[in-house]
């Protein structure tokens, strides 16, 4: 049957299982929008293309499948770049469809023309420019295949407008031919044996678990391995939930703002098993001083990540689930009592420095995060933005489930949370979704409140409002002699803002109001916004200064409190 | 990972690319973005229609080169990558060299050209264009000698490379063919 290019877009998308797309129409993509109503898809109109991209990202992270975004040419496509880069860094499968000027105008600096494939080359797993309708169905199929297989990532398809209007016989390409794309090569059992031998001989083993564990749905295998061989598990920011944080073998988050016990355990380990993580500098700190005595086993899907930052002793090139299953059969049951006792010592020391153990009457952000955990009973999807609140959430909300925390880990994209939370809702409408944002990041994409209004998206918003770009201020305090240049930030009246969008809202200024406000929001059926006006200058601790070894931690000071010595805040 | 420049070597790598629009740009942009130190690059058709063959030399330590190869191999349109450094391979580069000459120096230049088995492909009253093919060292040394005349213009292709066949045929297990200066 004859189909237009625009119809082919929807024919392929619906066959790929797409039911929700996020986007913003415009001139060059108009044929796609014109054809849309005939297909069983829901379109969510973002207020800015970056928002549409983050929505697709949030949708993908929660559903585990491809998120789709459709926007027009030129400025729309360039607005999308930040969202693509965010997804690229965190290996999130997205297919972005952009309209392009007609082939006859390509390269002429036509109205709303940008070299989109050129611009997005470095921030996509792959991209295509479609100039012939005969290639369209195949390219769209390839885009989905490439986005979701191997190490997932964003794929962009830029389609010229005349291709969308052109007609051809539609044939769904069942078979794909991508000779240069070999997402998987097979498990090397010799490497598994070598890894098992290292683990069996170790006395101070540590696992660092990353995002790859959740992408492979390997949480059970990870937990079984940790329990069988008695190995404590540190997690990267995106790995939180790989093993329940309330599990006795959980060390919590490691890295720049990781738990001291996690960082110290990594540094003193004799065997380090890195699973589905890529030794980001925020995880390793000073590479030359990283885990100096450890033999390193790296379980990773992407060959290019092996030996990229850290030279490894054994590399298992595989999906985390498959590798852990194989390893589980080869490791011996073990007990490392001395090692656990040592970790418990570090844990005890951390408790003394924990801000929640200070007698604080003021409203401090860590308290809000811990209460959010209590009120939701840990059963909610939390989407954080970037900065101090992101680290406090990671520290004080105990993530017991995988795919429960969405955050821009690699790129550190401020403005991510609100749109990504909207996308998360569409992927799992029955779960409660909380967007936890700072007053800085929120003001970058708050126009997406319009989507919440128009679609009645029941996302809960917690603004951690401290009047500063807080993490930048913290760096200025610690490394730039408190020169707070450019970091004080004023907010609008969020009550009035929420009212303008028809969203119920509440302002919280004291510690006493926190729980009631969270409960009200959490049990409210629709969207809800809380403006937590927290104490301004609170720092995230522990902290590893950039470039330092990860056990060289800046810690909270101990001061004289009303009833003796206590951590300062 | 820290890199010690004193351990850097020159590596010759061959990559087979799908001959599609934008593929070369993708490869070049990758080299730039990943900060790989590419010394030369030669690209053209291979024996297979639709597949182009790229030979490049990259300077760095083993880990840096391993990264370059893996990142390249990860590209969807890159079919295969092979590091031929240290393998028995022939490497050839071509140069066109314009040398300023007069009646006195012309015979001397022609003699050098002869010794290096290069050829003269353009002659005018005050200059010669020398075409030379060889490995990099050979071209370097010829160019150094010619520069005394002096050289007024030069272009080099960058090396292309191919692994050597085996003495008893390409698929045999025999020793590599004895290297002879051809």
């Amino acid at each position: 049957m004859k189909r237009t290019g625009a119809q082919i877009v929807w024919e392929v998308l619906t066959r790929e299982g797409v039911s929700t797309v996020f986007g913003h129409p415009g001139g060059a993509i108009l044929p796609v929008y014109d054809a849309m109503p005939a297909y069983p898809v829901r379109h969510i109109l973002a207020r800015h293309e970056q928002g549409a991209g983050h929505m697709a990202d949030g949708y993908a992270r929660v559903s585990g499948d491809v998120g789709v975004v459709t926007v027009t040419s030129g400025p729309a496509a360039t607005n999308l770049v930040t969202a693509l880069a965010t997804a690229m860094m965190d290996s999130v499968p997205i297919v972005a469809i952009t309209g392009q000027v007609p082939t006859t105008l390509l390269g002429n600096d036509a109205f709303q023309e940008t070299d989109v494939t050129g611009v997005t080359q470095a921030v996509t797993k792959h991209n295509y420019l479609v100039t012939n309708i005969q290639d369209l169905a195949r390219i769209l199929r390839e885009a989905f295949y490439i986005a979701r297989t191997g190490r997932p990532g964003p794929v962009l398809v830029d389609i010229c407008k005349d291709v969308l209007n052109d007609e051809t016989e539609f044939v769904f390409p069942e078979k794909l031919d991508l000779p240069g794309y070999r997402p998987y090569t097979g498990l090397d059992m010799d490497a598994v044996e070598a890894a098992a031998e290292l683990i069996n001989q170790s006395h101070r083993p540590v696992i660092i678990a990353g995002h790859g564990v959740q992408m492979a749905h390997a949480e059970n295998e990870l937990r079984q391995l940790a329990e069988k061989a008695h190995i404590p598990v540190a997690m990267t920011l995106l790995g939180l939930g790989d093993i329940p944080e309330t599990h006795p073998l959980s060390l919590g988050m490691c890295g720049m703002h990781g738990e001291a016990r996690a960082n110290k355990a990594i540094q003193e380990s004799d065997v380090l098993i890195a699973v589905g993580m890529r030794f980001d500098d925020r995880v390793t700190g000073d590479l030359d001083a990283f885990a100096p005595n450890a033999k390193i086993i790296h379980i990773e899907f992407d060959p290019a990540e092996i030996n990229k930052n850290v030279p490894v002793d054994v590399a298992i090139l595989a999906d985390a689930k498959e590798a852990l299953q194989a390893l589980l059969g080869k490791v011996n049951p073990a007990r490392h009592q001395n090692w656990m006792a040592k970790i418990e010592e570090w844990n005890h020391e951390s408790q003394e420095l924990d801000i929640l153990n200070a007698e604080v009457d003021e409203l401090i952000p860590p308290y809000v995060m811990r209460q959010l955990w209590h009120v939701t009973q840990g059963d909610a999807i939390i989407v954080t933005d970037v900065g101090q609140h992101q680290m406090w959430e990671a520290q004080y909300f105990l993530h017991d489930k995988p795919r429960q925390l969405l955050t821009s880990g690699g790129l550190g994209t401020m403005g991510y949370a609100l749109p990504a939370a909207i996308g998360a809702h569409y992927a799992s409408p029955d779960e409660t979704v909380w967007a936890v944002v700072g007053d800085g990041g929120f003001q970058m994409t708050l126009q997406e409140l319009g989507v919440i209004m128009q679609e009645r998206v029941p996302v809960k918003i917690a603004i951690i409002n401290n009047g500063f770009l807080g993490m930048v201020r913290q760096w200025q305090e610690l490394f730039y002699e408190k020169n707070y240049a450019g970091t004080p930030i004023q907010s609008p009246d969020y009550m009035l803002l929420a009212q303008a969008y028809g969203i119920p809202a509440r302002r919280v200024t004291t510690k006493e109001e926190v729980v009631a406000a969270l409960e009200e929001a959490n049990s409210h059926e629709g969207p809800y916004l809380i403006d937590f006006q927290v104490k301004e200058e609170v720092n995230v601790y522990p902290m590893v200064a950039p470039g330092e070894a990860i056990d060289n931690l800046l810690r909270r000071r101990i001061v004289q409190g009303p009833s003796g010595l206590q951590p300062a805040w | 990972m820290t890199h010690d420049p004193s351990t850097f070597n020159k590596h010759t790598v061959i990559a087979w690319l799908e001959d599609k629009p934008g593929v070369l740009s993708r490869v070049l942009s990758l080299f730039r973005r990943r900060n790989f130190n590419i010394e030369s690059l030669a690209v053209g058709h291979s024996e297979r229609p639709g597949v182009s063959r790229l030979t490049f030399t990259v300077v760095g330590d083993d880990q840096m080169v391993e990264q370059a190869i893996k990142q390249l191999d990860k590209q969807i349109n890159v079919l295969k990558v092979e590091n031929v450094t240290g393998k028995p391979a022939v490497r050839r580069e071509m140069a066109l060299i314009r040398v300023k000459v007069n009646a006195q120096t012309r015979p001397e230049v022609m003699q050098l050209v002869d010794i290096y088995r290069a050829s003269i492909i353009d002659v005018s009253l005050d200059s010669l264009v020398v075409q030379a093919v060889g490995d990099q060292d050979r071209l370097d040394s010829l160019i150094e000698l010619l520069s005394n005349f002096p050289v007024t213009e030069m272009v080099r292709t960058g090396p292309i490379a191919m692994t050597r066949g085996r003495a008893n045929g390409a698929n045999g297990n025999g020793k590599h063919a004895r290297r002879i200066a051809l």
Side-chain angles (χ1 to χ4, degrees), chain A residues 204-316:
Chain A
R204 300 184 309 279
V206 171
I207 291 171
I208 304 184
H211 194 193
V213 172
Q214 300 184 28
M215 289 199 291
H217 292 253
E219 306 87 41
N220 284 336
E221 288 76 8
L222 179 78
R223 183 179 171 156
Q224 286 166 31
L225 178 73
E227 287 173 351
K228 183 176 181 186
H230 209 216
I231 311 175
V233 182
M235 287 166 275
T236 67
L237 176 62
L238 293 185
L240 288 173
D242 283 352
I243 192 170
E245 283 200 77
T246 50
H247 190 286
L249 286 170
S250 165
L251 297 171
M253 185 170 72
C254 61
M256 181 175 272
H257 290 291
E259 305 261 6
R261 63 181 183 201
N263 286 3
K264 289 184 176 183
I266 289 167
Q267 291 299 80
E268 295 214 3
S269 64
D270 61 357
V271 169
L272 195 60
I273 306 121
V275 191
M277 55 82 72
R278 58 185 176 87
F279 296 102
D280 182 90
D281 57 278
R282 287 297 191 265
V283 169
T284 62
D286 179 4
L287 280 169
D288 292 332
F290 178 70
N293 304 314
K295 295 275 187 205
I296 298 179
I297 299 164
H298 195 182
I299 299 173
E300 168 60 46
F301 209 77
D302 179 359
E305 291 299 343
I306 309 282
N307 291 328
K308 185 179 84 176
N309 295 334
V310 171
V312 301
D313 297 280
V314 178
I316 304 178

Side-chain angles (χ1 to χ4, degrees), chain A residues 121-122 125-127 138 146 151 178-182 287-288 302-304 306-311, chain B residues 1-2 18 20 22 25-26 29-30 33-34 63 66-67 70-71 73-80:
Chain A
Q121 205 170 69
K125 183 172 173 185
H126 197 56
N127 63 20
R138 172 185 57 81
I146 291 169
R151 179 176 174 179
L178 289 162
Y181 183 57
R182 299 162 302 273
L287 280 169
D288 292 332
D302 179 359
I306 309 282
N307 291 328
K308 185 179 84 176
N309 295 334
V310 171
Chain B
M1 217 173 277
T2 47
E18 285 186 85
K20 287 183 176 171
S25 140
R26 212 176 274 281
S29 135
L30 175 90
R33 181 162 64 91
R34 298 276 176 187
Q63 190 272 341
E66 182 190 332
Q67 255 300 299
K70 283 174 168 176
Q71 292 293 349
D73 207 19
K74 208 161 109 170
Q75 296 294 312
I76 311 286
N77 300 125
V78 174
L79 300 169
K80 187 181 159 192

Side-chain angles (χ1 to χ4, degrees), chain A residues 127-201:
Chain A
N127 63 20
Y128 294 91
L129 170 65
V130 190
T131 55
N132 186 332
I133 192 168
Q134 302 309 331
D135 299 328
L136 182 59
R138 172 185 57 81
I139 285 176
L140 286 165
R141 268 278 277 154
E142 288 180 5
F144 276 87
Y145 177 68
I146 291 169
R148 60 161 73 102
T149 52
R151 179 176 174 179
V155 180
L156 180 137
V157 184
D158 195 30
I159 313 172
C160 288
K161 190 173 183 178
D162 50 340
V163 172
L164 293 171
N165 289 328
D166 207 356
E167 273 194 1
T168 190
E169 205 63 39
F170 170 66
V171 184
F172 185 67
E174 295 293 344
K175 282 189 77 177
L176 296 179
D177 180 29
L178 289 162
Y181 183 57
R182 299 162 302 273
Y184 188 48
T185 49
L187 186 64
D188 174 4
M189 281 311 289
D190 289 346
V192 173
E193 297 273 2
E197 199 175 311
L198 282 180
I199 293 170
N200 289 338
Q201 288 166 0

Side-chain angles (χ1 to χ4, degrees), chain B residues 57-104:
Chain B
T57 49
V58 54
V59 177
D61 61 28
D62 290 352
Q63 190 272 341
M64 291 161 76
V65 175
E66 182 190 332
Q67 255 300 299
I69 290 171
K70 283 174 168 176
Q71 292 293 349
L72 197 56
D73 207 19
K74 208 161 109 170
Q75 296 294 312
I76 311 286
N77 300 125
V78 174
L79 300 169
K80 187 181 159 192
V81 190
E82 190 181 348
N83 188 351
V84 296
T85 316
K87 289 186 185 170
V90 282
R91 296 172 182 78
R92 289 294 180 270
E93 182 176 0
M94 181 169 151
L96 299 179
I97 309 148
R98 190 189 303 280
V99 187
K100 194 173 173 185
V101 289
N102 53 35
Q104 284 75 46

